[in-house]
Amino acid sequence: MTPQRSTGAARSARSARTLLRAGSVALPVLALAHGAPTVATFGPLRNRFMPRLSGQGRPGHVALTFDDGPDDLSTPHFLRLLDTRGLRATFFLLGSMAVRSPWLVREMTAAGHEVALHGWAHRPLLLRGPRSTYEDLARARDTVGGLTGTQPLLFRPPYGVLTTGAQLACHRLGLTPVLWTAWGEDWRRRATPESVHDTVVADLRGGGTILLHDSDCTSAVGSWRNTLIALPRILDTCQERGWQVGPLREHGTRGAAGRKR
């Protein structure tokens, strides 16, 4: 090998090593940036330092929210119960479920409930890149908005896990992320109506947001029945404590109204 070729080979090797070192630093940094918002998943931290993201509103009100619907097997039971109580709630819908039961989306809207987004497919956003995340949210927004005639403004990420890509997508689509302050862990196989009620009220305060599920499409089979049985008692507890119950649009948080299409 000539000296010139030897020098060129050495330079190429140094360049390759430099790129590898840069990549070994850049990739973890990019991964950290992508997943940084997941700190919001930790409830006590979120409730204390991110009240708007947690869904904290006016002290005398509790926001009632449901995820994973609409489901023609279970959601109508919740709608009837809420109608009997004269209450309205916020339903975070999956686009993939909405296209299966479009009549149910229109029914809950006509009944005065607030319709929001849970994405198109119930997949962890940590497994999605920015483009895939945007396409998922945009598809869900356009589908649900087309069914209701009102563009939804609220978004709850699957599993409550936000990413930088999701935040950027929300900004572009005019969506506000909202999580919760209290949940019933009603998706678990071992959940019971009593455990759902007790788990909710253990963390619930005035101004809080309750997360429940009106579908078992991503939960233990039949788990919605425990939620349905627990719901009247949860509502009674709120009444006993002097809290009004309603959707997020009445909760005193920004972005809880819809825009006409």
Side-chain angles (χ1 to χ4, degrees), residues 130-131 134 141 151 166-175 259:
R131 181 176 178 178
Y134 175 82
R141 183 200 63 170
Q151 181 175 302
Q167 290 185 320
L168 292 173
C170 285
H171 180 73
R172 290 178 61 187
L173 295 169
L175 297 168
R259 290 195 293 265

Side-chain angles (χ1 to χ4, degrees), residues 58-118:
R58 52 190 176 91
H61 189 266
V62 165
L64 178 63
T65 72
F66 296 92
D67 284 6
D68 291 359
D71 190 322
D72 58 8
L73 175 65
S74 53
T75 302
H77 296 283
F78 289 89
L79 296 180
R80 284 193 291 269
L81 191 156
L82 292 171
D83 184 62
T84 299
R85 303 285 295 241
L87 297 175
R88 302 296 176 262
T90 299
F91 288 84
F92 286 89
L93 306 185
L94 289 169
S96 57
M97 296 292 285
V99 295
R100 298 179 185 179
S101 305
W103 62 272
L104 196 48
V105 179
R106 298 188 184 101
E107 181 177 319
M108 63 174 58
T109 303
H113 298 288
E114 182 178 28
V115 172
L117 298 182
H118 201 31

Side-chain angles (χ1 to χ4, degrees), residues 202-227:
D203 294 324
L204 189 60
R205 305 291 183 272
T209 291
I210 299 172
L211 162 62
L212 296 170
H213 295 80
D214 63 309
S215 171
D216 62 4
C217 68
T218 65
S219 306
V221 176
S223 57
W224 64 268
R225 299 180 188 277
N226 293 318
T227 307

